[in-house]
Amino acid sequence: DADVTQTPRNRITKTGKRIMLECSQTKGHDRMYWYRQDPGLGLRLIYYSFDVKDINKGEISDGYSVSRQAQAKFSLSLESAIPNQTALYFCATSDPRGRGGYTFGSGTRLTVV
Amino acid sequence: ELKVEQNPLFLSMQEGKNYTIYCNYSTTSDRLYWYRQDPGKSLESLFVLLSNGAVKQEGRLMASLDTKARLSTLHITAAVHDLSATYFCAVDPQPGSSYKLIFGSGTRLLVRP
């Protein structure tokens, strides 16, 4: 099993629908992150969480919300999806000292039509 | 605000040739990470550079960090087709306090026969 698992792998949804992307990890890391990737823009941070009670906005949090249900689970929600949220979404984890870098999930390709 | 710039953004090179990818960043940091991404896949950690002067090598790839110049390089020696991928550098703008990585836009590398 993968260390960081994202579901679904692919999703097509309609404008205005609510959608949740889920992430679970078996690394035992406290820190979890959500990034989106758009062609030519690299990865941009949406939200991050350093433990269950500590959730922080990243550089592009508008239109998104998150929930840290447990140390191992971190979900990203789009309350009312819009087409410019079409992107590849990655969940990642890290240890507190950051010496190992991030461990990424396999990604969720989301298309909003 | 931290900016991370990679160049070139696209690199087409012949097998057997050498080349260097550059990663410049705009604020003080002594932690830099390199990742590789194959098309449609997740990001795989290549190198973790945690101090000025750090140099890491793996196969035909070598990464270095100059924190005074705010520059990291990824050197490719005698390129082979299997190295074709997109390479990202990422910087931790606040080592020891927040640990959330800022990514460059990526360098898409194509190695031609």
Side-chain angles (χ1 to χ4, degrees), chain A residues 9-28:
Chain A
R9 291 293 307 275
N10 291 284
R11 180 74 181 265
I12 300 173
T13 192
K14 292 183 177 180
T15 298
K17 293 291 187 182
R18 183 179 188 277
I19 182 169
M20 178 182 290
L21 310 183
E22 300 191 2
C23 177
S24 62
Q25 53 115 345
T26 58
K27 299 283 288 184

Side-chain angles (χ1 to χ4, degrees), chain B residues 46-68:
Chain B
L46 288 176
F47 300 109
V48 179
L49 305 170
L50 298 177
S51 62
N52 185 42
V55 177
K56 296 278 183 76
Q57 183 163 4
E58 180 74 31
R60 300 174 188 272
L61 300 177
M62 183 175 71
S64 65
L65 178 61
D66 180 343
T67 59
K68 294 179 181 177

Side-chain angles (χ1 to χ4, degrees), chain A:
Chain A
D1 286 343
D3 292 327
V4 182
T5 301
Q6 290 184 235
T7 56
R9 291 293 307 275
N10 291 284
R11 180 74 181 265
I12 300 173
T13 192
K14 292 183 177 180
T15 298
K17 293 291 187 182
R18 183 179 188 277
I19 182 169
M20 178 182 290
L21 310 183
E22 300 191 2
C23 177
S24 62
Q25 53 115 345
T26 58
K27 299 283 288 184
H29 288 163
D30 290 325
R31 299 185 172 198
M32 298 187 74
Y33 308 80
W34 277 104
Y35 283 84
R36 70 175 274 177
Q37 183 178 22
D38 299 278
L41 292 179
L43 279 77
R44 292 181 292 165
L45 182 61
I46 306 172
Y47 271 95
Y48 60 103
S49 169
F50 288 168
D51 67 40
V52 175
K53 297 180 182 179
D54 180 16
I55 292 177
N56 305 278
K57 293 182 177 181
E59 58 179 314
I60 56 163
S61 58
D62 288 349
Y64 301 94
S65 63
V66 291
S67 172
R68 185 85 183 262
Q69 302 92 326
Q71 186 207 35
K73 295 183 182 293
F74 192 37
S75 300
L76 176 72
S77 293
L78 288 66
E79 296 300 327
S80 179
I82 55 177
N84 76 0
Q85 292 177 313
T86 293
L88 186 55
Y89 290 85
F90 286 104
C91 174
T93 73
S94 75
D95 66 87
R97 290 175 299 172
R99 291 186 170 272
Y102 285 0
T103 300
F104 282 90
S106 53
T108 294
R109 183 167 297 280
L110 176 66
T111 303
V112 183
V113 298

